[in-house]
Amino acid sequence: MIRSTLAALMATVSLGYMAQAQSVTVTNAKLWTGNEVVEDATVVITDGTVVSAGADITLPEDAQPLDAEGAWVTPGIFSAFSRTGIVEVGAETTTNDTLAPQSTFGAALDMADAFNPNATTVPVTRIEGVTRIAVAPGFGSGMFGGRGLIADTSGDANSVTASQAFSFINIGEGGAALTGGSRPATWATLRGALEDARTYPARYNALEDGDVLNRLDAAALAPASRGQQLLLIAASRASDLRNVIALKEENPQLNIALVGAHEGWMVAEELAAADIPVIIDPYANLPGRFESLGATQHNAERLIDAGVTTALAYLDDDSHQARLVLQSAGNAVANGVSHDNALRAITSAPADIFGMDGLGTVEPGSRGDLVIWDGDPLDVMSAPVSVFIDGVEQSLESRQTELRDRYLTLDESERPLAYRR
Amino acid sequence: MRIVLRSATVAAITLGLVACNGSDSPGNASNDETATSETGDTAKPFDKDPYPSTYTPYPSQPVLLRNATVYDGIGGVFEEHDVLIRDGSIAELGESLEVDDDVEVINAAGKFVTPGIIDNHSHLGVYPSPGVSAHQDGNEVSAPVTAEVWAEHGLWPQDPGFTRALAGGVTSMQILPGSANLFGGRGVTIKNVLSRTVQGMKFPEAPYTLKMACGENPKRVYGYGGGGFPGGAPYSRMGNVAGYRSSWIEAQEYKRKWDAWEEDGEGDMPGRDLELDTLKGVLEGDILVHMHCYRADEMAQVIDMSKEFGYKVTSFHHAVESYKIADRLAEEKICSSMWADWWGFKMEAYDGIRENIPLVHEAGACAIVHSDSDIGIQRLNQEAAKALADGRRAGLDISKADAWTWLSANPAKSLGIFDKTGSLEAGKDGDIVVWSADPFSVYAQAEKVFIDGALMFDRTDSSLMPVTDFELGQPGEGDMK
């Protein structure tokens, strides 16, 4: 049994889960490489990096191969959108760093200042096979949420993979509410802000002020305004998406990706032609707002068929339930997406969108994020049996598993349950 | 537990309605019987069912589902079995059933057949899509005790969410008021059959329910005055419990007054109080209590309070910590209506674990998978599957067939409708789902959904995919959703 083999392995390597890269060799895997499925595959990770992966791999001489016995092996899952690690308890504002309604700043807010590798959400997410997360700001005082990051879920002190990986802005109904009350106000604000940022710092030296952004916000938005940083835009309605496409036509230097895109399927060909990728929630199929009247679970299928780079995310509870992206991807398959494309949408596609070379794939040169599964990774009764990040095997425990183990039996005849751990 | 009409006057009114509808549905027919048989009872001066169900099953042909894998909903699984639906009801479950020519035979080989899913915690219709300000009809936030309001009076039957839930195999559901209030008001149980009116959806003869709420919500909404300080009571969990108890004391006094008057038959009828009518209904066992309560210690307080005043809690909802007192809940025969894995969005949800549902089940208590979500309601089978798998990994040996009790039988029991639906037993309503594959897989979809024997949804036939008024003429009208 794979479980016992792995358990034995874990027993040998798990002491303290020392953050040291190890040599890992997995054989007989049904491997999703990020691009294709390879049967009877072998993966060799050395010093945290994949050195070989695929069929017909020669094992290193000192290898202690772990026989996956045909089980699914994938890159670490990449959640393309989360607030994991920046909020502990959603309703408790002291623990919630996603947004700052009273802040003077918007674009300058940097989620790397908030990210807490010790947040309980991090292991909860990791033990479901999600090893990398895009962590986005919320929106408090305006349409500019701030800058997001890419992190791993190891819980290690140095788990931020890339800070200031993208800037996040909000248009449509949400953006309107944040910019005075209408879409035209949003677009006037956005155009002015991009001009402020693009001309930073010259404009601020000459005029001492921008039209929209204060000095720090302009500095923060400058890379995105020049296409040096991803500009992530939340938008849903087809007409809003067309406005984003027009924005990119007017400003071809911009590197734009969309979040939400409920009516993306209605403009799928145009998005593909404009090379604008999307991060969508495949569950979204309700006209929850007037900007999402066309929402359907077939959005993913239609966008992918049109050639739009599509990543999937679970957007309903992005701080605590980013782990549900696997179930989301399974549902996308039930609604027309191929299994390969659904896997791609939670591994290599998000890595592409965020420009994270070496993540979301298991190929020579990839980072050693690997998950071995006890079944089809996308099916709801499956779970990881082993998770590696940068070649280091990870604990599969969380605060939740500790609570579970405490309460497996309710026998208090000797001592209160508080003594059991 | 159903609401019994006792007075001759009411019986006449009810009969009149039946006549107007020209209906001979089982539901209305038994109303008729009830009224007739109860005519001699103590007269009650007002109608306890003034907004009666007008739901009648839609016409159906006899159908045989041939060679399916069948979860009967009460712990049985049968390979290559047939299910016969006739006259709107489940007629027979067996192998190689022989049927007459008038029966439509559907080849269900490779498919799975289950009872329709019943969600006992939904806000469809009261918090409908689109979620615009004009549609916020689920919480009467004006006071902490609003037992006088009824969810059915705020329910918009054109919520597109009903159609999505139908595509998820949901055949009945309870629509509850929200959890802002200590007493949120009455819930209503409906068949998931679209209608021009709420009455046209109401589950015939289902008892009324009362929504109550523990914990953070009431004290946040009232005590913190929506962010301003000071607000009113309750400000703390102490205030919550004092609030419930004060109301129960009033309800006991009200009931005594009415009981005395009915006993003596003398003097003026006591003045009516809508709020206390509902609480009195709980004390009399006619109205079932469904209480939003996350923390184990709070549930234990509420259990004692229910004994203090002589009523029973039917189900704790959300019940994120039920696993901590599963033994007690089994002892008290109180259900837990739970998510598979929601947690952490507020302090009282912080100790949520993935094994809550299977641990409650394993302790012998009544476990229910609920949604509280217009998205979650569309895949409750997947939520059960996740919980089952997590339970098994923790060493709990639970079969898929037993796990299906979380989706149909147990919620039906919690709503007082298990004598009519919730399992594939002969004589029950023909509320049945044909799944494309094992519904414990993420890839399974509800292909056909029968309600009272009528095919109300068919994934392969766009004429059997209902579109609400709201979605007509909008982007995506009639699309696969």
Side-chain angles (χ1 to χ4, degrees):
Chain A
M1 279 300 293
I2 185 165
R3 185 182 295 276
S4 53
T5 314
L6 292 169
L9 178 85
M10 283 175 64
T12 60
V13 302
S14 65
L15 285 174
Y17 292 94
M18 291 176 293
Q20 288 177 9
Q22 65 208 68
S23 186
V24 180
T25 302
V26 180
T27 59
N28 199 11
K30 182 180 177 118
L31 176 67
W32 168 253
T33 66
N35 292 302
E36 60 177 341
V37 175
V38 180
E39 302 281 353
D40 298 322
T42 295
V43 179
V44 180
I45 301 172
T46 302
D47 295 333
T49 301
V50 176
V51 292
S52 51
D56 305 320
I57 301 290
T58 309
L59 298 187
E61 281 183 14
D62 58 344
Q64 294 178 299
L66 172 58
D67 184 353
E69 298 180 6
W72 276 94
V73 174
T74 66
I77 302 304
F78 193 139
S79 167
F81 191 92
S82 83
R83 267 91 185 213
T84 305
I86 58 172
V87 48
E88 184 62 35
V89 178
E92 295 297 335
T93 55
T94 54
T95 77
N96 188 336
D97 285 318
T98 55
L99 51 87
Q102 275 85 48
S103 174
T104 312
F105 302 108
L109 302 178
D110 186 346
M111 292 306 113
D113 292 330
F115 186 72
N116 176 15
N118 290 333
T120 58
T121 50
V122 170
V124 162
T125 304
R126 176 181 71 236
I127 69 176
E128 306 277 1
V130 179
T131 63
R132 303 280 164 169
I133 47 178
V135 181
F139 296 96
S141 59
M143 67 176 290
F144 305 95
R147 293 165 294 175
L149 61 113
I150 310 299
D152 69 50
T153 55
S154 65
D156 294 344
N158 58 349
S159 54
V160 173
T161 313
S163 60
Q164 301 179 4
F166 57 93
S167 284
F168 191 29
I169 68 172
N170 195 343
I171 67 168
E173 290 184 15
L178 292 161
T179 51
S182 73
R183 283 179 170 81
T186 305
W187 282 95
T189 305
L190 178 57
R191 291 188 187 104
L194 287 173
E195 182 70 12
D196 285 350
R198 208 162 30 229
T199 56
Y200 175 87
R203 179 189 190 95
Y204 288 78
N205 291 334
L207 303 175
E208 295 183 340
D209 207 0
D211 289 329
V212 174
L213 300 180
N214 63 41
R215 182 178 296 269
L216 290 184
D217 281 342
L221 195 62
S225 72
R226 294 165 188 157
Q228 296 153 355
Q229 184 196 54
L230 178 66
L231 184 62
L232 206 54
I233 303 180
S236 295
R237 197 170 80 180
S239 73
D240 292 329
L241 304 181
R242 287 198 186 95
N243 285 344
V244 171
I245 293 167
L247 176 74
K248 187 166 181 184
E249 281 169 4
E250 293 158 20
N251 302 273
Q253 80 280 6
L254 293 176
N255 175 17
I256 292 173
L258 290 164
V259 176
H262 293 81
E263 293 187 347
W265 63 273
M266 293 164 65
V267 293
E269 303 288 341
E270 295 148 84
L271 289 170
D275 199 20
I276 296 178
V278 297
I279 298 166
I280 63 170
D281 183 337
Y283 289 169
N285 70 340
L286 283 160
R289 296 166 171 263
F290 271 87
E291 65 184 354
S292 60
L293 294 175
T296 166
Q297 288 186 91
H298 291 269
N299 198 23
E301 173 196 22
R302 294 169 190 172
L303 285 161
I304 290 169
D305 285 352
V308 178
T309 299
T310 302
L312 303 178
Y314 181 78
L315 300 179
D316 251 20
D317 177 355
D318 44 37
S319 56
H320 290 70
Q321 297 281 58
R323 58 182 176 173
L324 295 183
V325 66
L326 288 140
Q327 187 186 358
S328 300
N331 278 271
V333 174
N335 288 284
V337 174
S338 72
H339 196 271
D340 279 7
N341 279 332
L343 281 171
R344 183 172 287 113
I346 58 173
T347 54
S348 53
D352 283 348
I353 291 171
F354 291 101
M356 291 287 115
D357 289 345
L359 293 178
T361 54
V362 178
E363 294 167 345
S366 296
R367 298 179 73 147
D369 287 15
L370 200 71
V371 184
I372 305 174
W373 301 86
D374 66 3
D376 175 353
L378 302 187
D379 215 339
V380 275
M381 292 187 72
S382 306
V385 290
S386 206
V387 176
F388 298 87
I389 295 178
D390 285 330
V392 178
E393 179 150 29
Q394 303 293 308
S395 160
L396 293 181
E397 291 182 348
S398 69
R399 184 170 177 275
Q400 293 192 1
T401 64
E402 291 200 40
L403 277 164
R404 173 199 66 199
D405 293 344
R406 168 169 287 177
Y407 284 94
L408 270 176
T409 64
L410 300 174
D411 179 9
E412 285 188 306
S413 53
E414 297 293 330
R415 286 283 186 283
L417 291 178
Y419 290 78
R420 186 187 298 168
R421 67 189 180 92
Chain B
M1 296 225 215
R2 63 189 179 184
I3 295 163
V4 178
L5 303 170
R6 289 196 174 87
S7 82
T9 314
V10 172
I13 291 167
T14 308
L15 288 168
L17 283 173
V18 171
C20 287
N21 285 331
S23 159
D24 60 356
S25 78
N28 283 342
S30 84
N31 252 354
D32 184 3
E33 279 169 33
T34 304
T36 307
S37 67
E38 301 285 351
T39 304
D41 281 17
T42 309
K44 290 278 170 107
F46 64 90
D47 186 354
K48 285 190 172 180
D49 189 20
Y51 306 87
S53 168
T54 58
Y55 168 79
T56 56
Y58 278 85
S60 60
Q61 298 297 315
V63 170
L64 183 78
L65 305 170
R66 178 77 87 192
N67 270 334
T69 302
V70 179
Y71 294 121
D72 67 3
I74 47 173
V77 57
F78 306 93
E79 308 282 345
E80 293 179 9
H81 258 58
D82 303 343
V83 178
L84 178 64
I85 315 167
R86 188 190 279 284
D87 299 329
S89 299
I90 294 158
E92 203 177 347
L93 202 160
E95 283 175 288
S96 307
L97 297 181
E98 291 185 11
V99 290
D100 299 336
D101 290 348
D102 68 326
V103 177
E104 183 193 355
V105 177
I106 295 175
N107 178 12
K111 316 282 187 196
F112 284 65
V113 172
T114 69
I117 292 174
I118 299 169
D119 184 3
N120 83 351
H121 194 121
S122 173
H123 300 297
L124 289 180
V126 296
Y127 283 118
S129 300
V132 292
S133 61
H135 280 172
Q136 304 304 303
D137 286 315
N139 273 293
E140 181 52 44
V141 187
S142 54
V145 179
T146 60
E148 69 275 18
V149 306
W150 298 16
E152 65 200 75
H153 297 150
L155 199 163
W156 184 45
Q158 299 293 344
D159 184 352
F162 291 118
T163 68
R164 312 301 198 269
L166 184 62
V170 175
T171 54
S172 296
M173 67 188 87
Q174 173 173 228
I175 307 300
L176 286 165
S179 51
N181 325 74
L182 299 173
F183 295 86
R186 289 197 197 191
V188 62
T189 299
I190 61 171
K191 289 270 187 179
N192 192 12
V193 175
L194 289 166
S195 171
R196 288 172 292 161
T197 64
V198 176
Q199 291 89 330
M201 302 178 83
K202 285 179 70 173
F203 198 115
E205 296 182 78
Y208 271 106
T209 58
L210 170 65
K211 173 74 175 289
M212 294 176 65
C214 293
E216 293 182 27
N217 286 9
K219 70 192 194 108
R220 184 185 69 245
V221 171
Y222 300 99
Y224 308 159
F229 177 83
Y235 189 80
S236 67
R237 283 182 164 84
M238 297 186 290
N240 286 353
V241 176
Y244 314 128
R245 295 176 78 204
S246 301
S247 289
W248 289 125
I249 288 167
E250 281 183 61
Q252 285 182 323
E253 287 169 2
Y254 184 70
K255 181 174 179 300
R256 269 199 296 274
K257 207 184 298 174
W258 273 91
D259 287 350
W261 181 73
E262 280 165 6
E263 189 99 345
D264 303 345
E266 288 170 9
D268 291 340
M269 184 179 96
R272 273 189 72 195
D273 183 307
L274 271 180
E275 179 186 307
L276 297 175
D277 277 350
T278 292
L279 301 189
K280 174 169 167 280
V282 171
L283 296 177
E284 290 167 345
D286 294 335
I287 296 178
L288 309 179
V289 173
H290 287 260
M291 188 158 191
H292 159 120
C293 216
Y294 285 74
R295 261 175 32 186
D297 56 304
E298 285 189 275
M299 293 186 226
Q301 302 281 8
V302 168
I303 291 170
D304 277 357
M305 178 174 70
S306 70
K307 292 178 177 173
E308 181 184 7
F309 294 101
Y311 71 94
K312 185 174 180 332
V313 178
T314 297
S315 192
F316 285 119
H317 285 240
H318 311 331
V320 157
E321 292 188 3
S322 276
Y323 69 95
K324 296 185 181 181
I325 51 162
D327 49 353
R328 185 83 197 278
L329 294 166
E331 204 175 294
E332 301 289 344
K333 296 185 168 48
I334 298 174
C335 294
S336 300
S337 305
M338 299 167 280
W339 298 293
D341 50 21
W342 288 24
W343 76 287
F345 43 91
K346 54 177 159 173
M347 203 58 213
E348 62 193 5
Y350 196 50
D351 286 2
I353 65 171
R354 299 172 300 178
E355 297 80 4
N356 193 27
I357 293 169
L359 282 170
V360 168
H361 175 94
E362 191 70 5
C366 161
I368 292 169
V369 180
H370 79 340
S371 80
D372 190 23
S373 158
D374 52 12
I375 291 290
I377 195 173
Q378 301 181 43
R379 48 187 68 79
L380 287 168
N381 56 309
Q382 294 175 25
E383 301 306 294
K386 284 190 291 185
L388 175 63
D390 289 324
R392 286 178 173 179
R393 279 188 204 94
L396 308 176
D397 181 22
I398 302 171
S399 70
K400 289 178 176 176
D402 278 335
W404 200 274
T405 59
W406 308 340
L407 294 166
S408 301
N410 289 350
K413 288 173 187 171
S414 80
L415 299 174
I417 55 174
F418 187 58
D419 56 331
K420 302 182 184 69
T421 188
S423 64
L424 300 183
E425 295 173 279
K428 286 199 171 178
D429 295 354
D431 300 343
I432 294 174
V433 183
V434 180
W435 300 89
S436 61
D438 185 348
F440 288 89
S441 165
V442 75
Y443 306 123
Q445 288 186 311
E447 274 187 359
K448 291 179 167 44
V449 182
F450 296 88
I451 300 181
D452 284 304
L455 183 58
M456 302 308 288
F457 175 81
D458 189 331
R459 197 171 289 274
T460 64
D461 180 354
S462 62
S463 73
L464 285 171
M465 294 184 202
V467 176
T468 59
D469 291 356
F470 176 74
E471 293 196 282
L472 285 180
Q474 303 278 21
E477 172 192 335
D479 196 2
M480 287 294 295
K481 295 296 184 184

